[in-house]
Amino acid sequence: MRRTRTLTGIGIAAVTLLALTACNSGSPSGGGEAPDAEVADDVALEGSPTYDAMVERGGPIIGVKEDQPNLGYLDVTTGERSGFDIEIARWIAGSLGFSEDDITYEPIASANREQALVNGDIDYYVGTYSITDQRKEQIDFAGPYFVTGQGFLVSADSEMTEVSDVSDFNGMTVCSATGSTPIQNIKENFPEISTEEYDIYSACVDDLLSGKVDAVTTDAAILIGYAAQYPDELTVLDGLFTEERYGVGIPKGDTALLEHINTLFTDGGDKWQEIFDATLGQSGIEVEQPAVDPVE
Ligand code: GLU
């Protein structure tokens, strides 16, 4: 694996990200106006049981996150969902002939994603979902459609902003989500770091703000959104010491749906960039669309 134990250059990265997030404190979701998803009227997707179920039901049930600004976020006052993952989910739905009104969103925590797909509770999942071999035993992934890496969120006024190596957290408590790749990485590779876990990352952020934990660890793309919510209190140490490749989770064996989504990503023209610019790109990060994996 491409995991290393050191966070080379973490201090420099922290300064850069601080500057990037400083310009993004205006909106709670951090998202701009995303282009409306076009709804296809000539869909011919043969041999996809998942698609057939969506048609019969009159729309897709999509698993999402709803507490991750810029990525998958629900504004509880307006009921609006926003973020990069939400727009990717809408793009896919549109390509399958479904409009926003046809979509049912289902919030599902990191630990419960595979089971939701295996049970048929959702048709597909778009929510900071890293492609891993272990998960691929139960489900399939379209994509990747985004690449990030594990980082740390710390209090801006603490000495943890000076951290230069993951082992500097030895003897401290870091918080992450149950069933996520970041918590597994800490438990497996850094046994001297204590862990706190919740279903959702926003609960970890609350603990960091109240001083109950020393850091929150998960993908840098997620942490940047929280830092933008609390620009004076929180800072991202972005060492990217893993590679997290986001895929769209789909039921195992639905190759027709897998190929449909991959073709969308490959042949989508500027659409990916438009979605990125209107959502995650607002935080100042610059990332290119990755090439999709070949179907095994
Ligand atoms: N991308 C990581 C994962 O899939 C962390 C983010 C998440 O929990 O959704 O486990």
Side-chain angles (χ1 to χ4, degrees):
M1 292 290 296
R2 268 165 278 200
R3 287 187 178 149
T4 63
R5 279 170 179 257
T6 53
L7 282 174
T8 316
I10 196 170
I12 297 163
V15 173
T16 315
L17 279 165
L18 209 67
L20 292 174
T21 53
C23 59
N24 183 38
S25 52
S27 129
S29 67
E33 195 65 26
D36 280 345
E38 283 161 38
V39 179
D41 56 10
D42 55 351
V43 184
L45 187 56
E46 298 284 324
S48 167
T50 315
Y51 174 67
D52 292 346
M54 294 183 218
V55 171
E56 192 156 326
R57 198 187 303 113
I61 303 176
I62 311 175
V64 293
K65 296 290 184 73
E66 56 185 26
D67 72 325
Q68 299 182 175
N70 293 345
L71 285 157
Y73 191 80
L74 173 66
D75 183 330
V76 285
T77 47
T78 63
E80 291 275 319
R81 289 181 193 271
S82 64
F84 182 66
D85 283 333
I86 299 295
E87 296 304 333
I88 295 284
R90 287 174 173 151
W91 183 23
I92 295 168
S95 77
L96 294 169
F98 300 110
S99 69
E100 179 67 13
D101 290 345
D102 301 326
I103 298 173
T104 304
Y105 295 99
E106 192 66 44
I108 296 184
S110 298
N112 304 330
R113 294 179 282 205
E114 292 84 76
Q115 202 57 51
L117 285 162
V118 169
N119 291 351
D121 296 340
I122 54 174
D123 297 311
Y124 58 96
Y125 189 98
V126 192
T128 60
Y129 200 6
S130 296
I131 300 170
T132 71
D133 288 342
Q134 198 186 350
R135 290 171 179 166
K136 271 160 72 176
E137 287 171 14
Q138 294 185 74
I139 63 154
D140 283 337
F141 284 101
Y145 64 92
F146 189 74
V147 180
T148 180
Q150 185 171 352
F152 288 89
L153 183 71
V154 299
S155 293
D157 61 0
S158 79
E159 59 191 33
M160 299 322 295
T161 54
E162 304 300 320
V163 157
S164 61
D165 192 281
V166 181
S167 60
D168 289 346
F169 288 103
N170 284 353
M172 303 204 180
T173 304
V174 306
C175 189
S176 196
T178 306
S180 67
T181 49
I183 193 109
Q184 281 167 22
N185 183 28
I186 296 292
K187 285 178 172 172
E188 282 166 23
N189 298 317
F190 303 95
E192 289 173 50
I193 300 177
S194 301
T195 51
E196 179 73 82
E197 341 186 343
Y198 292 101
D199 279 359
I200 51 175
Y201 293 107
S202 48
C204 286
V205 174
D206 290 343
D207 271 11
L208 179 61
L209 288 166
S210 66
K212 282 193 204 145
V213 300
D214 299 293
V216 179
T217 186
T218 186
D219 306 333
I222 301 173
L223 297 177
I224 288 166
Y226 292 127
Q229 282 187 317
Y230 303 97
D232 297 332
E233 290 93 350
L234 303 178
T235 298
V236 179
L237 305 180
D238 183 358
L240 301 187
F241 69 105
T242 64
E243 186 180 70
E244 306 293 326
R245 302 161 70 247
Y246 291 171
V248 177
I250 64 168
K252 193 160 183 59
D254 197 331
T255 312
L257 183 61
L258 179 75
E259 285 176 350
H260 173 88
I261 298 172
N262 279 350
T263 303
L264 192 68
F265 291 153
T266 308
D267 298 351
D270 294 338
K271 183 74 180 176
W272 185 96
Q273 195 64 48
E274 284 173 26
I275 289 174
F276 178 80
D277 290 347
T279 54
L280 261 184
Q282 299 275 309
S283 65
I285 58 171
E286 286 179 24
V287 178
E288 290 192 0
Q289 180 181 6
V292 302
D293 286 339
V295 177
E296 286 166 12

